[in-house]
Amino acid sequence: MEHLELFFKSIFIDNMVFATFLGMCSYLAVSKKVSTAVGLGAAVIFVLAVTVPLNWLLDQYILRDGALAWLGPEYADYDLSFLSFILFIATIATMVQLVEIVVEKFSPSLYNSLGIFLPLIAVNCAILGGSLFMQSRDIQSLGLAFNYGVSSGIGWFLAILAIAAIREKIRYSNVPAPLRGLGITFIITGLMAIGFMSFGGMLTGGDEEEETTPVAEVAPVEMIKEVSDELVSTTNEKEE
Amino acid sequence: MGLLSKKDQKLILDPLADDNPITIQVLGICSALAITAQLKASIVMSISVLFVLGVGNVVISLMRNIIPSKIRIIVQLIVVATLVIIVDQVLKAYAYELSKELSVFVGLIITNCIIMGRFEAFALGNGPWRSFLDGIGNALGYGVILIIVGFFRELLGSGTLLGFKVLGDPIEKTGLYAIGYENNGFMLLSPMALIVVGLIIWVQRSRNKALIEEH
């Protein structure tokens, strides 16, 4: 159940592109054709599935506060979490290189379809973002970390597939000249993101309202203040 | 600017408009959009990128002759990651609230395409001084867009600028609110960042026809 929930949540609610804007650069640059978009999307799923669990292990056993306790009691109060950026990115860069070599050796056909995208992926924000969100959301087990990697990869894949399909079709529409290309892609992505926000209520069983918009957060406080101000003023009037 | 030659001036001024990293080169969008709901966050983010890109460009440019080209991406990533750790630690020490608000997006400066893009395209082939100017120019170009987006989103979304209530008080109905103006809460939602950038691109390309793309 936990797994299923995380799975749907990462694909639809916390979709990397539409909710957190991760990997926008390659999302915009490589979405001109559906076939290349599929290649890059598949490579992202693959790399996320490898790097998120790896970085989870790193975080759990080396980086977080007290994680070095397994070395002995004298190491228990080390907190190396400030090193997480550099270790995560180093893991990602080496894994991408390694994956590239392995895929080239064992599956040349897969390499031909994924190969050119792999170096691009090392600097894709979605990959590092996956690891950093894994850390900040405090994912509990290795299995869940793997699940998180795969499902957020699938979410990214869906997003790039959708925009690539739309961009192939929009070529036949009469878009205002200054908006052509980049501009209209931004606006379409914005509209798609609004659409994806409607998934927000999918998993909330009532108790799990997370990361509501600032409007919703601010409004009740203001209302309370308003009400209390009124109360104060009315009581003051009564006293007078 | 007597200090800088014509060519050097171009390095700084071009990215501000006609060669803008966000709207023309399509770099560094990832972090640009997520944190622009507040003007303050946009400014802090721009300053962080200014520091990382300025210093990083110089470092890479100084090392450009000794980096083996096969592993240059890893070397670049390590340089950026080090600089970003410095920024992150400084923010945590002096602006803790803000660093909580920016959350992972400070870390994501590492994979901000703008930085790798400038390293690859400029710092690897030019001397330190010119690379520094290029870094500053591009970071400023990035900052300008961030600040424009942040300005409109905060002004229209919550009626404030940097936390000051410039349009009057929505609760006590002063200023614009007295004549029935309402905040557009929609502007605070993340999809609006994309649409605002789309509109900026529209305005920019209508003014400069040379930038228009053929689909």
Side-chain angles (χ1 to χ4, degrees):
Chain A
M1 194 57 217
E2 205 182 357
H3 277 273
L4 206 64
E5 197 178 314
L6 183 69
F7 186 74
F8 282 111
K9 199 169 160 211
S10 329
I11 294 184
F12 294 111
I13 303 176
D14 290 333
N15 185 292
M16 283 216 154
V17 175
F18 297 132
T20 44
F21 304 118
L22 294 180
M24 281 302 276
C25 309
S26 24
Y27 167 87
L28 291 169
V30 194
S31 60
K32 287 205 175 98
K33 276 173 66 188
V34 171
S35 52
T36 45
V38 169
L40 183 71
V44 165
I45 299 182
F46 190 58
V47 174
L48 268 174
V50 175
T51 54
V52 172
L54 258 176
N55 281 335
W56 185 85
L57 287 174
L58 261 180
D59 183 47
Q60 207 70 15
Y61 293 106
I62 297 181
L63 293 172
R64 65 172 49 196
D65 196 5
L68 286 172
W70 56 275
L71 276 177
E74 66 270 33
Y75 293 99
D77 44 351
Y78 281 94
D79 178 8
L80 296 181
S81 52
F82 67 94
L83 284 177
S84 45
F85 293 158
I86 206 163
L87 276 183
F88 283 179
I89 197 70
T91 319
I92 289 167
T94 38
M95 277 318 296
V96 168
Q97 208 103 58
L98 207 70
V99 164
E100 199 182 344
I101 296 169
V102 170
V103 171
E104 190 180 10
K105 176 96 173 108
F106 289 106
S107 168
S109 64
L110 183 65
Y111 181 76
N112 283 336
S113 53
L114 291 189
I116 37 167
F117 299 119
L118 282 172
L120 239 171
I121 278 179
V123 289
N124 188 330
C125 342
I127 310 292
L128 182 66
S131 290
L132 289 175
F133 272 123
M134 175 273 297
Q135 191 189 30
S136 72
R137 284 181 191 163
D138 212 16
I139 294 215
Q140 290 302 330
S141 72
L142 186 61
L144 281 175
F146 177 72
N147 183 341
Y148 180 69
V150 173
S151 47
S152 42
I154 295 175
W156 201 88
F157 178 87
L158 272 183
I160 195 169
L161 194 63
I163 194 75
I166 293 176
R167 282 181 83 169
E168 276 197 2
K169 293 289 175 209
I170 210 159
R171 209 163 298 169
Y172 306 110
S173 320
N174 190 14
V175 180
L179 264 181
R180 272 179 204 157
L182 193 58
I184 195 73
T185 314
F186 265 102
I187 291 176
I188 292 172
T189 312
L191 295 177
M192 283 163 80
I194 294 174
F196 261 67
M197 281 171 63
S198 55
F199 287 116
M202 196 165 72
L203 287 178
T204 45
D207 53 346
E208 208 206 14
E209 186 80 285
E210 70 130 39
E211 280 193 333
T212 45
T213 55
V215 206
E217 269 170 24
V218 173
V221 181
E222 283 175 0
M223 269 154 60
I224 293 165
K225 202 174 158 237
E226 208 173 352
V227 171
S228 60
D229 282 353
E230 274 173 22
L231 279 178
V232 171
S233 55
T234 45
T235 45
N236 283 350
E237 279 166 18
K238 274 178 196 166
E239 277 170 16
E240 283 166 4
Chain B
M1 291 214 278
L3 194 65
L4 303 169
S5 67
K6 268 265 153 48
K7 254 169 92 185
D8 289 350
Q9 276 183 33
K10 225 170 120 56
L11 283 178
I12 288 203
L13 295 180
D14 262 6
L16 286 179
D18 289 347
D19 195 22
N20 190 286
I22 292 185
T23 59
I24 310 296
Q25 303 176 41
V26 206
L27 296 173
I29 294 157
C30 327
S31 53
L33 300 173
I35 44 91
T36 45
Q38 303 285 321
L39 186 55
K40 197 171 167 198
S42 322
I43 293 176
V44 170
M45 192 70 182
S46 316
I47 295 172
S48 314
V49 170
L50 186 74
F51 169 77
V52 174
L53 193 52
V55 178
N57 248 358
V58 173
V59 173
I60 292 292
S61 160
L62 288 173
M63 300 201 307
R64 68 186 187 279
N65 295 325
I66 54 168
I67 302 176
S69 73
K70 274 204 160 166
I71 58 159
R72 65 175 195 284
I73 295 208
I74 294 186
V75 174
Q76 290 165 0
L77 283 175
I78 298 296
V79 171
V80 192
T82 317
L83 292 169
V84 170
I85 288 177
I86 297 174
V87 170
D88 186 44
Q89 296 293 318
V90 169
L91 279 183
K92 272 189 185 145
Y94 293 103
Y96 189 70
E97 292 296 311
L98 207 62
S99 97
K100 276 272 164 263
E101 203 174 298
L102 293 173
S103 71
V104 301
F105 291 99
V106 179
L108 286 173
I109 298 178
I110 300 175
T111 46
N112 194 327
C113 330
I114 226 175
I115 294 184
M116 299 299 283
R118 290 332 289 175
F119 284 2
E120 285 281 308
F122 201 89
L124 281 176
N126 288 283
W129 173 238
R130 283 172 57 81
S131 301
F132 177 70
L133 293 178
D134 179 75
I136 298 291
N138 276 286
L140 286 177
Y142 170 87
V144 165
I145 299 291
L146 239 69
I147 288 170
I148 294 177
V149 178
F151 176 84
F152 283 113
R153 285 183 73 192
E154 191 176 343
L155 185 69
L156 301 178
S158 27
T160 56
L161 281 178
L162 292 172
F164 294 109
K165 294 179 175 136
V166 286
L167 297 183
D169 199 316
I171 299 165
E172 283 153 25
K173 300 275 177 233
T174 58
L176 268 183
Y177 296 99
I179 52 170
Y181 175 81
E182 286 289 338
N183 282 330
N184 180 3
F186 209 49
M187 292 300 281
L188 294 177
L189 302 178
S190 46
M192 282 314 285
L194 284 162
I195 293 177
V196 172
V197 175
L199 295 179
I200 292 176
I201 293 175
W202 192 357
V203 172
Q204 191 184 16
R205 293 189 184 182
S206 320
R207 289 166 53 103
N208 188 346
K209 300 279 184 213
L211 300 173
I212 292 176
E213 288 176 60
E214 277 302 315
H215 283 293

